Amino acid sequence: MKYYITADIEGVTGVTHLDETEMGKTGYNEAREQMTAEVAAACEGLLEAGAGEIWVKDAHGDGRNIIASKLPEQVRLIRGWSGHPFFMVQEIDRCFRAVVMIGYHSRAGSNTNPLAHTQSGLLDYIKVNGRYASEFLLHAYAAALADVPVVFIAGDEGLCAEAVSINPNITTVPVMRGVGDSTVSLQPGLAVRRIREGIAASVRGDISSCRVALPERFKVELRYKNHVKAYRASFYPGVTGEEAHVVSFESSDYFEVLRTLMFIV
């Protein structure tokens, strides 16, 4: 059995400040170590449940955060960015049994993580069919396009609550909670244990019930912090400027949504 893990860092336990997410800055090495430990725990849980092969996408920043030598030998690690519209789930296809998300965080415009954002710090928000979108939602839809369910998520409480509201069958492990510009986090070793145990249990259940349904049509709205960025994006084919900071576009093909986001975010 083949599984896919996509990993970010702002939803890793203990991560609180932007410096901790950027290579070369104070706290980054500790955050990188914990990101790696949580991904390794997810791999161990999948292997315990019978996984034969695991692909991991390092999906934070420049895609060069996870320490490969600390992952099991059954792992294939995707580093860097290819430029493919699948972005944080690059290389996913129907060969995978399920997707696992580690270190995922709350959406732009939320108050449940001091580092909340969606895709880019340039945006106040992305809405899909009127719903504020997180990176979880955007990539759960991408996984659905490849007919792969999202079975497990570890991240902040706000993101986990969003995931359950979309599909209550998805197993979640909240490892931290944002309060204003602070976080309340699990002890790192406890977070690792809960992830490993939670994944092993989740993939032994009814994975098909964890599918996220794709809408038949998509209306996407983006609000930029800088009106100049919105003006520039309005010239992309199919994109309309709604007001100074806001653009929108529509499509019945979710791949076209991802393609458009790749070029205007």
Side-chain angles (χ1 to χ4, degrees):
M1 291 186 288
K2 189 175 177 183
Y3 289 89
Y4 191 103
I5 297 175
T6 171
D8 207 348
I9 204 169
E10 290 90 352
V12 165
T13 194
V15 175
T16 305
H17 192 277
L18 187 62
D19 284 358
E20 296 167 342
T21 73
E22 296 184 6
M23 191 176 296
K25 293 193 175 180
T26 302
Y28 170 76
N29 286 337
E30 291 84 351
R32 178 192 193 195
E33 289 273 359
Q34 184 62 22
M35 178 187 185
T36 300
E38 293 186 12
V39 170
C43 293
E44 290 162 5
L46 290 173
L47 292 169
E48 180 185 325
E53 184 177 347
I54 303 166
W55 286 47
V56 174
K57 173 68 184 96
D58 187 328
H60 171 70
D62 62 5
R64 298 186 299 127
N65 308 279
I66 295 170
I67 304 166
S69 62
K70 297 191 176 183
L71 301 180
E73 64 182 15
Q74 295 88 344
V75 169
R76 300 293 178 269
L77 178 61
I78 306 165
R79 303 180 80 228
W81 299 100
S82 70
H84 191 282
F86 274 6
F87 198 46
M88 295 173 77
V89 289
Q90 174 194 331
E91 309 298 330
I92 199 166
D93 59 28
R94 294 174 182 269
C95 294
F96 291 94
R97 185 169 185 248
V99 177
V100 166
M101 297 181 173
I102 301 295
Y104 268 58
H105 55 79
S106 296
R107 61 170 176 79
S110 66
N111 64 353
T112 48
N113 187 320
L115 300 175
H117 65 276
T118 304
Q119 300 290 88
S120 167
L122 299 175
L123 300 171
D124 283 327
Y125 65 72
I126 299 177
K127 286 184 179 179
V128 177
N129 295 342
R131 182 182 191 123
Y132 289 103
S134 63
E135 292 170 7
F136 151 70
L137 183 65
L138 295 177
H139 293 91
Y141 282 160
L145 199 59
D147 197 31
V148 183
V150 179
V151 70
F152 180 94
I153 299 172
D156 67 54
E157 281 189 2
L159 186 279
C160 290
E162 178 196 347
V164 171
S165 74
I166 291 170
N167 186 332
N169 297 309
I170 297 173
T171 299
T172 63
V173 170
V175 299
M176 54 102 87
R177 170 170 64 92
V179 184
D181 200 31
S182 69
T183 59
V184 180
S185 296
L186 295 184
Q187 190 272 344
L190 177 60
V192 163
R193 179 165 61 82
R194 287 188 178 177
I195 289 169
R196 184 176 60 249
E197 293 173 353
I199 284 192
S202 69
V203 298
R204 291 187 178 111
D206 180 11
I207 283 182
S208 64
S209 69
C210 299
R211 296 183 186 281
V212 173
L214 273 175
E216 293 183 0
R217 188 161 184 84
F218 301 88
K219 180 174 182 180
V220 182
E221 179 181 297
L222 297 86
R223 181 177 178 86
Y224 292 83
K225 294 177 180 177
N226 185 330
H227 68 89
V228 176
K229 299 293 185 183
Y231 178 72
R232 182 178 184 274
S234 71
F235 289 97
Y236 189 83
V239 175
T240 302
E242 299 288 350
E243 55 181 82
H245 290 261
V246 179
V247 302
S248 68
F249 61 94
E250 296 187 49
S251 179
S252 57
D253 182 348
Y254 190 63
F255 189 81
E256 288 303 319
V257 171
L258 294 172
R259 191 201 309 264
T260 302
L261 290 175
M262 178 63 69
F263 283 95
I264 70 172
V265 173

